[in-house]
Amino acid sequence: MKIQLFTIGFTKKSAEYFFELLIQNGVKRLVDIRINNSSQLAGFAKGSDLQYFLRAIGNMDYVYIEDFAPTKELLSDYQNKKVNWEEYQKIYRNLLKDRNIIKKYDINEFDGSCFLCSEDTPDQCHRRLLVEYFKEKNKKDVEIRHLK
C-alpha cells in the first residue's frame, strides 16, 4: 500500500489558493512543523486560526509537532549564514535521528497528511528534508507531493 505525504508552504499564497490546494489534493490532516506557529506574521496560517479554518473549510485535522521543527539555533545560524544549506541539511537530519523520529512516529499515521512550513518552495526547506527522511527510513512505498 502506497503512503502519500504532501508538503506545503504558506508564504506567497492567498488563503483561497492555500486551502483549495489542500482540498483538491485530498489532504486529510495538516501537520504544522514550524518552530513558531503563533506568529502574527503568519496571517491565516497562525496555528490557532489554521486549526479552525482547516476544520470549517476542508474538514481536515490539524496537529502541531514540534519534534519535526529545526532548533531555533539552527534556523538562526542558517539565516545569518553561519551554516550553508549543505551543513543545514546534515545538522537537521542528525536532529531527526537524535530525536528518534522513526521510532516515535509511525509513517502510516501520516498517510494523506501535508507537512506545513512557511517557505514558499520545498527546495531549501526542512519540510522536504523531513518527508525524504521518512521515505528513506521506512520500508514502505512512499509518494511525496509538494503542493505549490
Side-chain angles (χ1 to χ4, degrees):
M1 181 174 155
K2 184 177 282 192
I3 304 240
Q4 218 173 19
L5 304 178
F6 300 92
T7 77
I8 194 168
F10 68 85
T11 302
K12 298 184 183 176
K13 290 178 182 66
S14 68
E16 179 181 4
Y17 184 73
F18 177 86
F19 290 108
E20 284 299 319
L21 265 179
L22 296 174
I23 292 166
Q24 289 170 3
N25 284 279
V27 171
K28 299 173 188 166
R29 179 194 329 169
L30 192 79
V31 181
D32 193 337
I33 63 171
R34 297 173 287 172
I35 292 172
N36 180 5
N37 72 340
S38 60
S39 169
Q40 292 300 326
L41 299 175
F44 69 86
K46 186 175 161 191
S48 55
D49 293 334
L50 194 52
Q51 184 172 10
Y52 168 77
F53 292 140
L54 288 164
R55 175 68 56 210
I57 296 170
N59 196 29
M60 288 174 247
D61 292 328
Y62 169 87
V63 64
Y64 175 61
I65 302 180
E66 195 171 4
D67 259 352
F68 296 158
T71 62
K72 288 180 181 176
E73 296 77 22
L74 176 57
L75 184 59
S76 175
D77 285 351
Y78 178 65
Q79 290 170 335
N80 295 318
K81 302 193 183 329
K82 291 181 182 176
V83 298
N84 64 28
W85 179 244
E86 297 303 318
E87 294 165 321
Y88 179 97
Q89 291 180 84
K90 183 178 179 185
I91 295 166
Y92 180 73
R93 286 181 57 86
N94 284 334
L95 186 63
L96 296 176
K97 183 180 175 189
D98 292 345
R99 290 178 178 170
N100 214 8
I101 295 303
I102 297 303
K103 289 200 169 126
K104 282 171 83 174
Y105 300 95
D106 182 352
I107 194 170
N108 294 301
E109 294 176 26
F110 295 113
D111 187 27
S113 293
C114 186
F115 295 85
L116 169 76
C117 195
S118 58
E119 293 294 325
D120 180 34
T121 66
D123 306 331
Q124 291 187 328
C125 182
H126 74 283
R127 71 179 186 263
R128 178 180 61 83
L129 302 177
L130 174 65
V131 294
E132 288 174 355
Y133 186 81
F134 266 125
K135 182 174 182 169
E136 175 189 321
K137 299 295 181 185
N138 284 277
K139 304 290 185 241
K140 306 217 180 243
D141 187 9
V142 177
E143 177 188 0
I144 297 171
R145 294 191 45 213
H146 301 289
L147 306 181
K148 299 177 189 174

